[in-house]
Amino acid sequence: MVTSTPSRLTPRERARRAARGGVSRSVPAPLLVPALIAAGFLVLPLVGLLIRAPWRHLGAALSGSDATQALILSLWTASASTAISLVIGVPLAWVLARSSFPGQRLLRALVTLPLVLPPVVGGVALLLAFGRTGFLGRYLDSWFGLTIPFTPIAVVMAETFVAMPFLIITVEGALRSADQGFEEAAATLGAKRMTVFRRVTVPLIAPSLGAGAVLCWARALGEFGATITFAGSFPGQTETMPIAVYYALETNPDAAIALSLVLLLVSIVVLVSLRDHWMRGGSVS
Amino acid sequence: MTHEGSEGLVVDAEVRRGSFLLAVSFTAAPGQVLGLLGPNGAGKSTLLSAVAGLTPASAGRITLAGQVVDDADAGTFVEASGRPVGFVFQNYRLFPYLTVAENVAFSPRARGMGRRAARSMASHWLDRLRLTDLAGRKPGQLSGGQAQRVALARALAGQPALLLLDEPLSALDAGTRLDVQTELKRHLADFAGPCLLVTHDPLEALVLADQLIVLEGGRIVQEGTPAHVARQPATEYVAKLVGLNLYAGQANDSEVVLSGGGTFVIPDQGQHGDVLVAVRPSAVVVSSQRPQRSSARNTWPANVAGLTLLADRVRLSLEGQPSALVDVTPAAVAELSLGPGREVWLTVKATDLEVYTHAEGQPA
């Protein structure tokens, strides 16, 4: 017996169901309303940014501040921290994925801690370790005359501290899911461990490596809390884009909006370059 | 150790993988193609990976070309990358991001050859396996047969002293399999070292191998030439593979009392004790009534339990003392109105029975 009244089924919907099968895909109201609120909440602020943007004198707004300096500083420090993360983070990801030793799980937990740690806490920790009186910084200062805090090096360190875990977990996941049969094949072909890593493992995980690096770079570019705590905000020295935006908002709102637009543009470019990797189902392989 | 053994491969080892234990002892001479036949989980692939150095032996030793590559008792072990072994994997495992030429040049490069020398080595093997036209392609753009040849070229380009093939034809469709098989046989004949070929396809084993080892449950249950194994299977598994009925029993001159019930009259060759009796399904005659009994014939009643259509004949599964698989023509099925439950009489000539003794691990 038919227990509900018939509803209208458009020819288009009929064709869709015939081709893909399945039942109705219309969204029930209790899900639709919160979904729309969530989408609006995420999108509307960005629209606000676009509406309030001083489009006419954008160039003037940007050049009127320390924007260029800040942008250049942000770009090179984010790139440097990504490069450092690749050089030391990928080997760490390999160690976490492929070898086993006591305390490995603890190490993984500690390494990924910066993912959830408030960045300001990271900055304080860096300051306590590498600051002038820090337990490591003290020796750097007295032995080499090296002072790290409030220098561009401190910016790179703060960004690396916060961003490298993104690269590590992406690459570690890829290493775990990569088919180790290829590495076995390489071994039977005479390749030693390092050759296998260089010529088989790295090319196999190249897509994830690229995605992890872009993610790491984007995170480094947006870094604020750890940077301002550990490196301060000296224009031209340690004042990165996010910090410049923050200060400009008080003195020169137009400049702040213009700088924000630049960061938004960079983010969109990053998102587009990652779309194949993250947007399709969102898996990390 | 024999001289022959010092040239080829000598395995006398145990390999433990979880609760599974592989315990084998055999030699493979240079130029010999040794087929490893067995059901899934018999330990064939484990054996290959132990010989290749991908799995260490848990006891015993493996010697290749006079060099001990694994000795569990002495603790010596040569890593996979240090063994002169060429391995053709079941799904080939061609590096997907390298071209065919780069895949083939991989081993010479990894073994320390310069870029240019490796490239010319690769082009030599590409030429020998008729792959030159495909040199610039990626593995994803190859057919199954082509990928198989590339895998073989890649393994051979490292100039191995031993070749390992893990079900080299199983990834191919039936149409190309025969061509690839013919060609593979030619290349194996050109290879100077010993070759281990894992398969669960009896035809592949019969065509490609000079010598067969049958593995079941981690043990060698039979070794011998393909012809010998096909004629006198030692186990139910092999008998099924080669399509024979196999019975175990006690011989007493002119009679075998089958352990599963029933008796066979056999040609008197003075055989006593444990024997195996192999019977071809086509050697058994089916009749609807009890035929005239003669001394050279074995006759017994049986019930039809099932029918399967094979290309041009019907295979009957019959239950009786003993049970048997029997091949008849489709016409006979109609004439005798054979169907499940039908009682028939089976007859087989004594001279059609293959009676032999079997000692484990040795050719009968």
Side-chain angles (χ1 to χ4, degrees), chain B:
Chain B
M1 199 186 298
T2 62
H3 177 67
E4 192 180 67
S6 70
E7 293 277 301
L9 171 72
V10 185
V11 176
D12 185 1
E14 289 182 6
V15 185
R16 191 175 283 284
R17 261 191 174 176
S19 61
F20 177 78
L21 180 69
L22 172 78
V24 291
S25 173
F26 66 89
T27 56
Q32 187 180 51
V33 179
L34 182 62
L36 298 170
L37 191 63
N40 286 332
K44 308 183 300 276
S45 296
T46 303
L47 176 53
L48 284 201
S49 85
V51 171
L54 299 173
T55 309
S58 44
R61 57 154 63 176
I62 299 171
T63 310
L64 176 57
Q67 194 203 349
V68 175
V69 291
D70 193 349
D71 190 332
D73 308 318
T76 33
F77 185 75
V78 177
E79 293 287 345
S81 60
R83 300 191 186 187
V85 168
F87 202 142
V88 177
F89 292 89
Q90 193 171 357
N91 292 314
Y92 313 137
R93 300 187 187 177
L94 298 174
F95 304 123
Y97 49 88
L98 295 180
T99 63
V100 165
E102 288 163 345
N103 263 285
V104 177
F106 187 96
S107 188
R109 277 292 282 158
R111 294 191 201 273
M113 218 179 244
R115 203 176 292 268
R116 188 171 298 175
R119 203 174 297 156
S120 80
M121 175 68 107
S123 72
H124 166 76
W125 282 104
L126 289 172
D127 188 43
R128 277 192 66 170
L129 282 118
R130 299 188 294 104
L131 290 164
T132 309
D133 293 345
L134 306 174
R137 289 211 198 162
K138 292 280 175 68
Q141 303 166 305
L142 300 175
S143 73
Q146 291 167 342
Q148 199 272 347
R149 290 213 304 275
V150 175
L152 187 62
R154 185 178 70 166
L156 289 170
Q159 297 183 295
L162 168 72
L163 197 55
L164 305 174
L165 305 168
D166 193 357
E167 312 230 5
L169 306 177
S170 68
L172 304 177
D173 55 76
T176 54
R177 191 175 290 189
L178 199 67
D179 290 341
V180 177
Q181 180 173 290
T182 311
E183 198 176 318
L184 181 59
K185 188 171 174 65
R186 205 154 46 76
H187 293 303
L188 293 185
D190 289 344
F191 182 67
C195 172
L196 296 193
L197 173 94
V198 158
T199 177
H200 63 242
D201 177 358
L203 192 62
E204 205 171 294
L206 297 180
V207 172
L208 294 174
D210 309 319
Q211 192 77 13
L212 280 186
I213 284 182
V214 183
L215 272 178
E216 277 178 53
R219 311 281 148 143
I220 295 177
V221 293
Q222 189 170 17
E223 348 183 10
T225 62
H228 170 80
V229 172
R231 208 177 58 243
Q232 301 193 339
T235 67
E236 196 62 40
Y237 163 76
V238 187
K240 206 166 269 173
L241 274 188
V242 298
L244 294 179
N245 291 299
L246 185 69
Y247 307 100
Q250 289 279 324
N252 188 4
D253 290 332
S254 63
E255 233 185 35
V256 178
V257 178
L258 305 179
S259 38
T263 306
F264 277 142
V265 175
I266 59 168
D268 189 350
Q269 277 157 0
Q271 279 176 306
H272 282 271
D274 289 336
V275 292
L276 292 170
V277 182
V279 187
R280 280 177 293 115
S282 57
V284 184
V285 177
V286 180
S287 37
S288 54
Q289 258 142 44
R290 187 187 188 117
Q292 289 285 208
R293 200 184 168 93
S294 81
S295 62
R297 284 170 182 276
N298 295 291
T299 299
W300 73 101
N303 282 304
V304 177
L307 302 90
T308 318
L309 184 65
L310 307 175
D312 62 337
R313 62 222 144 82
V314 175
R315 173 152 295 184
L316 303 178
S317 168
L318 295 141
E319 277 168 9
Q321 300 274 338
S323 296
L325 295 173
V326 177
D327 287 355
V328 296
T329 61
V333 173
E335 278 162 27
L336 299 170
S337 57
L338 296 174
R342 171 97 156 90
E343 188 176 272
V344 292
W345 287 85
L346 303 181
T347 307
V348 61
K349 283 191 220 160
T351 50
D352 279 336
L353 300 176
E354 181 86 23
V355 183
Y356 50 97
T357 55
H358 172 67
E360 195 177 317
Q362 285 193 346

Side-chain angles (χ1 to χ4, degrees), chain A residues 18-36:
Chain A
R20 304 221 192 110
V23 292
S24 170
R25 291 216 303 194
S26 65
V27 186
L31 295 182
L32 186 63
V33 172
L36 284 175

